[in-house]
PDB file of all heavy atoms in Angstrom:
ATOM      1  N   GLU A   3     -16.770 -11.259  -7.005  1.00 87.00           N
ATOM      2  CA  GLU A   3     -15.695 -10.364  -6.571  1.00 87.00           C
ATOM      3  C   GLU A   3     -14.586 -10.322  -7.623  1.00 87.00           C
ATOM      4  O   GLU A   3     -13.433 -10.664  -7.339  1.00 87.00           O
ATOM      5  CB  GLU A   3     -15.106 -10.836  -5.235  1.00 87.00           C
ATOM      6  CG  GLU A   3     -16.065 -10.719  -4.068  1.00 87.00           C
ATOM      7  CD  GLU A   3     -15.460 -11.276  -2.766  1.00 87.00           C
ATOM      8  OE1 GLU A   3     -14.331 -11.801  -2.790  1.00 87.00           O
ATOM      9  OE2 GLU A   3     -16.135 -11.166  -1.732  1.00 87.00           O
ATOM     10  N   LEU A  11     -16.562  -4.923  -1.006  1.00 98.00           N
ATOM     11  CA  LEU A  11     -17.136  -4.430   0.252  1.00 98.00           C
ATOM     12  C   LEU A  11     -17.300  -2.903   0.221  1.00 98.00           C
ATOM     13  O   LEU A  11     -18.345  -2.367   0.630  1.00 98.00           O
ATOM     14  CB  LEU A  11     -16.238  -4.824   1.431  1.00 98.00           C
ATOM     15  CG  LEU A  11     -16.168  -6.325   1.752  1.00 98.00           C
ATOM     16  CD1 LEU A  11     -15.049  -6.616   2.751  1.00 98.00           C
ATOM     17  CD2 LEU A  11     -17.503  -6.812   2.302  1.00 98.00           C
ATOM     18  N   ALA A  19     -24.608   5.705  -4.612  1.00 98.00           N
ATOM     19  CA  ALA A  19     -23.741   6.539  -5.459  1.00 98.00           C
ATOM     20  C   ALA A  19     -23.042   5.691  -6.535  1.00 98.00           C
ATOM     21  O   ALA A  19     -22.843   6.143  -7.666  1.00 98.00           O
ATOM     22  CB  ALA A  19     -22.704   7.264  -4.593  1.00 98.00           C
ATOM     23  N   ALA A  22     -25.241   5.340  -9.442  1.00 98.00           N
ATOM     24  CA  ALA A  22     -25.377   6.625 -10.143  1.00 98.00           C
ATOM     25  C   ALA A  22     -24.160   6.882 -11.034  1.00 98.00           C
ATOM     26  O   ALA A  22     -24.266   7.463 -12.117  1.00 98.00           O
ATOM     27  CB  ALA A  22     -25.546   7.759  -9.128  1.00 98.00           C
ATOM     28  N   HIS A  25     -24.070   3.892 -13.964  1.00 98.00           N
ATOM     29  CA  HIS A  25     -25.234   3.904 -14.871  1.00 98.00           C
ATOM     30  C   HIS A  25     -25.654   5.332 -15.204  1.00 98.00           C
ATOM     31  O   HIS A  25     -26.821   5.591 -15.491  1.00 98.00           O
ATOM     32  CB  HIS A  25     -26.414   3.139 -14.259  1.00 98.00           C
ATOM     33  CG  HIS A  25     -26.183   1.654 -14.184  1.00 98.00           C
ATOM     34  ND1 HIS A  25     -25.282   1.075 -13.313  1.00 98.00           N
ATOM     35  CD2 HIS A  25     -26.714   0.630 -14.885  1.00 98.00           C
ATOM     36  CE1 HIS A  25     -25.284  -0.240 -13.485  1.00 98.00           C
ATOM     37  NE2 HIS A  25     -26.148  -0.529 -14.430  1.00 98.00           N
ATOM     38  N   HIS A  26     -24.721   6.250 -15.149  1.00 98.00           N
ATOM     39  CA  HIS A  26     -25.002   7.663 -15.438  1.00 98.00           C
ATOM     40  C   HIS A  26     -25.514   7.833 -16.872  1.00 98.00           C
ATOM     41  O   HIS A  26     -25.195   7.025 -17.759  1.00 98.00           O
ATOM     42  CB  HIS A  26     -23.730   8.478 -15.226  1.00 98.00           C
ATOM     43  CG  HIS A  26     -23.974   9.955 -15.178  1.00 98.00           C
ATOM     44  ND1 HIS A  26     -24.065  10.733 -16.308  1.00 98.00           N
ATOM     45  CD2 HIS A  26     -24.173  10.792 -14.137  1.00 98.00           C
ATOM     46  CE1 HIS A  26     -24.294  11.984 -15.954  1.00 98.00           C
ATOM     47  NE2 HIS A  26     -24.368  12.039 -14.636  1.00 98.00           N
ATOM     48  N   PHE A  56      -4.079  11.872 -12.497  1.00 97.00           N
ATOM     49  CA  PHE A  56      -4.300  10.501 -12.037  1.00 97.00           C
ATOM     50  C   PHE A  56      -2.978   9.720 -12.101  1.00 97.00           C
ATOM     51  O   PHE A  56      -2.657   8.943 -11.202  1.00 97.00           O
ATOM     52  CB  PHE A  56      -5.369   9.881 -12.939  1.00 97.00           C
ATOM     53  CG  PHE A  56      -6.005   8.647 -12.406  1.00 97.00           C
ATOM     54  CD1 PHE A  56      -6.590   8.634 -11.151  1.00 97.00           C
ATOM     55  CD2 PHE A  56      -6.062   7.494 -13.177  1.00 97.00           C
ATOM     56  CE1 PHE A  56      -7.204   7.494 -10.666  1.00 97.00           C
ATOM     57  CE2 PHE A  56      -6.672   6.348 -12.700  1.00 97.00           C
ATOM     58  CZ  PHE A  56      -7.241   6.338 -11.454  1.00 97.00           C
ATOM     59  N   SER A  57      -2.211   9.951 -13.148  1.00 97.00           N
ATOM     60  CA  SER A  57      -0.892   9.311 -13.275  1.00 97.00           C
ATOM     61  C   SER A  57       0.034   9.794 -12.162  1.00 97.00           C
ATOM     62  O   SER A  57       0.821   9.017 -11.607  1.00 97.00           O
ATOM     63  CB  SER A  57      -0.249   9.631 -14.625  1.00 97.00           C
ATOM     64  OG  SER A  57      -1.100   9.251 -15.678  1.00 97.00           O
ATOM     65  N   VAL A  65       5.704   5.992  -4.342  1.00 98.00           N
ATOM     66  CA  VAL A  65       6.378   6.636  -3.205  1.00 98.00           C
ATOM     67  C   VAL A  65       5.892   6.047  -1.876  1.00 98.00           C
ATOM     68  O   VAL A  65       6.670   5.850  -0.946  1.00 98.00           O
ATOM     69  CB  VAL A  65       6.121   8.166  -3.230  1.00 98.00           C
ATOM     70  CG1 VAL A  65       6.732   8.849  -2.014  1.00 98.00           C
ATOM     71  CG2 VAL A  65       6.655   8.787  -4.516  1.00 98.00           C
ATOM     72  N   VAL A  77       3.734   0.905 -10.278  1.00 96.00           N
ATOM     73  CA  VAL A  77       4.477   1.347 -11.451  1.00 96.00           C
ATOM     74  C   VAL A  77       3.838   0.781 -12.731  1.00 96.00           C
ATOM     75  O   VAL A  77       3.831   1.444 -13.776  1.00 96.00           O
ATOM     76  CB  VAL A  77       5.986   0.981 -11.287  1.00 96.00           C
ATOM     77  CG1 VAL A  77       6.333  -0.367 -11.856  1.00 96.00           C
ATOM     78  CG2 VAL A  77       6.863   2.077 -11.849  1.00 96.00           C
ATOM     79  N   ASN A  81       2.436   3.058 -15.901  1.00 93.00           N
ATOM     80  CA  ASN A  81       2.769   2.764 -17.296  1.00 93.00           C
ATOM     81  C   ASN A  81       1.520   2.550 -18.143  1.00 93.00           C
ATOM     82  O   ASN A  81       1.419   3.061 -19.264  1.00 93.00           O
ATOM     83  CB  ASN A  81       3.688   1.541 -17.369  1.00 93.00           C
ATOM     84  CG  ASN A  81       4.211   1.331 -18.771  1.00 93.00           C
ATOM     85  OD1 ASN A  81       4.913   2.179 -19.311  1.00 93.00           O
ATOM     86  ND2 ASN A  81       3.829   0.224 -19.384  1.00 93.00           N
ATOM     87  N   VAL A  84      -0.068   6.103 -18.792  1.00 91.00           N
ATOM     88  CA  VAL A  84       0.683   7.027 -19.640  1.00 91.00           C
ATOM     89  C   VAL A  84       0.928   6.433 -21.031  1.00 91.00           C
ATOM     90  O   VAL A  84       0.800   7.128 -22.040  1.00 91.00           O
ATOM     91  CB  VAL A  84       2.021   7.414 -18.963  1.00 91.00           C
ATOM     92  CG1 VAL A  84       2.829   8.356 -19.839  1.00 91.00           C
ATOM     93  CG2 VAL A  84       1.755   8.072 -17.606  1.00 91.00           C
ATOM     94  N   THR A 108      -5.651  22.161 -22.371  1.00 94.00           N
ATOM     95  CA  THR A 108      -7.069  22.207 -21.992  1.00 94.00           C
ATOM     96  C   THR A 108      -7.261  22.879 -20.639  1.00 94.00           C
ATOM     97  O   THR A 108      -6.545  22.566 -19.679  1.00 94.00           O
ATOM     98  CB  THR A 108      -7.651  20.772 -21.899  1.00 94.00           C
ATOM     99  OG1 THR A 108      -7.511  20.139 -23.154  1.00 94.00           O
ATOM    100  CG2 THR A 108      -9.115  20.788 -21.482  1.00 94.00           C
ATOM    101  N   TYR A 117     -11.904  16.611  -8.223  1.00 98.00           N
ATOM    102  CA  TYR A 117     -11.718  15.169  -8.129  1.00 98.00           C
ATOM    103  C   TYR A 117     -10.238  14.794  -8.023  1.00 98.00           C
ATOM    104  O   TYR A 117      -9.820  14.067  -7.111  1.00 98.00           O
ATOM    105  CB  TYR A 117     -12.365  14.494  -9.336  1.00 98.00           C
ATOM    106  CG  TYR A 117     -12.422  12.994  -9.261  1.00 98.00           C
ATOM    107  CD1 TYR A 117     -12.165  12.308  -8.076  1.00 98.00           C
ATOM    108  CD2 TYR A 117     -12.760  12.242 -10.380  1.00 98.00           C
ATOM    109  CE1 TYR A 117     -12.233  10.926  -8.018  1.00 98.00           C
ATOM    110  CE2 TYR A 117     -12.823  10.861 -10.329  1.00 98.00           C
ATOM    111  CZ  TYR A 117     -12.560  10.208  -9.152  1.00 98.00           C
ATOM    112  OH  TYR A 117     -12.623   8.842  -9.097  1.00 98.00           O
ATOM    113  N   ARG A 119      -7.573  16.579  -7.297  1.00 98.00           N
ATOM    114  CA  ARG A 119      -6.864  17.091  -6.135  1.00 98.00           C
ATOM    115  C   ARG A 119      -7.338  16.397  -4.859  1.00 98.00           C
ATOM    116  O   ARG A 119      -6.554  16.237  -3.914  1.00 98.00           O
ATOM    117  CB  ARG A 119      -7.008  18.603  -6.017  1.00 98.00           C
ATOM    118  CG  ARG A 119      -6.457  19.394  -7.187  1.00 98.00           C
ATOM    119  CD  ARG A 119      -5.248  18.822  -7.894  1.00 98.00           C
ATOM    120  NE  ARG A 119      -4.715  19.793  -8.835  1.00 98.00           N
ATOM    121  CZ  ARG A 119      -5.140  19.952 -10.104  1.00 98.00           C
ATOM    122  NH1 ARG A 119      -6.061  19.156 -10.619  1.00 98.00           N
ATOM    123  NH2 ARG A 119      -4.630  20.890 -10.870  1.00 98.00           N
ATOM    124  N   THR A 152     -19.541  -3.599 -23.222  1.00 98.00           N
ATOM    125  CA  THR A 152     -19.087  -4.581 -24.219  1.00 98.00           C
ATOM    126  C   THR A 152     -20.220  -5.573 -24.497  1.00 98.00           C
ATOM    127  O   THR A 152     -20.458  -5.959 -25.640  1.00 98.00           O
ATOM    128  CB  THR A 152     -17.832  -5.328 -23.701  1.00 98.00           C
ATOM    129  OG1 THR A 152     -16.784  -4.377 -23.548  1.00 98.00           O
ATOM    130  CG2 THR A 152     -17.390  -6.412 -24.662  1.00 98.00           C
ATOM    131  N   TYR A 172      -7.261  -3.757 -19.853  1.00 93.00           N
ATOM    132  CA  TYR A 172      -7.818  -2.921 -18.784  1.00 93.00           C
ATOM    133  C   TYR A 172      -8.421  -3.798 -17.673  1.00 93.00           C
ATOM    134  O   TYR A 172      -8.275  -3.491 -16.484  1.00 93.00           O
ATOM    135  CB  TYR A 172      -8.849  -1.918 -19.320  1.00 93.00           C
ATOM    136  CG  TYR A 172      -9.177  -0.870 -18.289  1.00 93.00           C
ATOM    137  CD1 TYR A 172      -8.368   0.258 -18.136  1.00 93.00           C
ATOM    138  CD2 TYR A 172     -10.242  -1.029 -17.404  1.00 93.00           C
ATOM    139  CE1 TYR A 172      -8.619   1.196 -17.145  1.00 93.00           C
ATOM    140  CE2 TYR A 172     -10.510  -0.094 -16.413  1.00 93.00           C
ATOM    141  CZ  TYR A 172      -9.701   1.008 -16.296  1.00 93.00           C
ATOM    142  OH  TYR A 172      -9.944   1.940 -15.301  1.00 93.00           O
ATOM    143  N   ALA A 175      -5.769  -4.980 -15.504  1.00 95.00           N
ATOM    144  CA  ALA A 175      -5.293  -3.903 -14.630  1.00 95.00           C
ATOM    145  C   ALA A 175      -6.213  -3.763 -13.411  1.00 95.00           C
ATOM    146  O   ALA A 175      -5.744  -3.566 -12.288  1.00 95.00           O
ATOM    147  CB  ALA A 175      -5.221  -2.587 -15.409  1.00 95.00           C
ATOM    148  N   LYS A 177      -8.023  -6.114 -12.018  1.00 97.00           N
ATOM    149  CA  LYS A 177      -7.752  -7.268 -11.129  1.00 97.00           C
ATOM    150  C   LYS A 177      -6.480  -7.037 -10.336  1.00 97.00           C
ATOM    151  O   LYS A 177      -6.413  -7.327  -9.139  1.00 97.00           O
ATOM    152  CB  LYS A 177      -7.633  -8.552 -11.959  1.00 97.00           C
ATOM    153  CG  LYS A 177      -8.969  -9.056 -12.463  1.00 97.00           C
ATOM    154  CD  LYS A 177      -8.841 -10.501 -12.979  1.00 97.00           C
ATOM    155  CE  LYS A 177     -10.180 -11.046 -13.434  1.00 97.00           C
ATOM    156  NZ  LYS A 177     -10.670 -10.408 -14.658  1.00 97.00           N
ATOM    157  N   LEU A 182      -3.769  -5.644  -5.241  1.00 98.00           N
ATOM    158  CA  LEU A 182      -2.926  -4.683  -4.515  1.00 98.00           C
ATOM    159  C   LEU A 182      -3.668  -4.145  -3.294  1.00 98.00           C
ATOM    160  O   LEU A 182      -3.119  -4.088  -2.193  1.00 98.00           O
ATOM    161  CB  LEU A 182      -2.530  -3.528  -5.457  1.00 98.00           C
ATOM    162  CG  LEU A 182      -1.866  -2.296  -4.816  1.00 98.00           C
ATOM    163  CD1 LEU A 182      -0.516  -2.656  -4.190  1.00 98.00           C
ATOM    164  CD2 LEU A 182      -1.686  -1.180  -5.864  1.00 98.00           C
ATOM    165  N   ALA A 186      -2.494  -4.838   0.440  1.00 98.00           N
ATOM    166  CA  ALA A 186      -2.026  -3.670   1.199  1.00 98.00           C
ATOM    167  C   ALA A 186      -2.814  -3.547   2.509  1.00 98.00           C
ATOM    168  O   ALA A 186      -2.255  -3.210   3.557  1.00 98.00           O
ATOM    169  CB  ALA A 186      -2.167  -2.403   0.365  1.00 98.00           C
ATOM    170  N   GLY A 192      -4.191  -6.183   8.978  1.00 98.00           N
ATOM    171  CA  GLY A 192      -4.467  -7.579   9.305  1.00 98.00           C
ATOM    172  C   GLY A 192      -5.582  -8.161   8.443  1.00 98.00           C
ATOM    173  O   GLY A 192      -6.283  -7.422   7.735  1.00 98.00           O
ATOM    174  N   THR A 224     -22.152  18.768 -20.098  1.00 97.00           N
ATOM    175  CA  THR A 224     -22.325  20.217 -20.292  1.00 97.00           C
ATOM    176  C   THR A 224     -21.044  20.872 -20.824  1.00 97.00           C
ATOM    177  O   THR A 224     -20.296  21.470 -20.054  1.00 97.00           O
ATOM    178  CB  THR A 224     -22.730  20.897 -18.977  1.00 97.00           C
ATOM    179  OG1 THR A 224     -21.733  20.567 -17.971  1.00 97.00           O
ATOM    180  CG2 THR A 224     -24.077  20.433 -18.490  1.00 97.00           C
TER     181      THR A 224
END
Side-chain angles (χ1 to χ4, degrees):
E3 293 177 357
L11 292 169
H25 290 71
H26 194 276
F56 197 54
S57 304
V65 176
V77 91
N81 188 62
V84 179
T108 301
Y117 189 13
R119 299 327 189 274
T152 296
Y172 193 84
K177 286 194 178 70
L182 169 64
T224 55

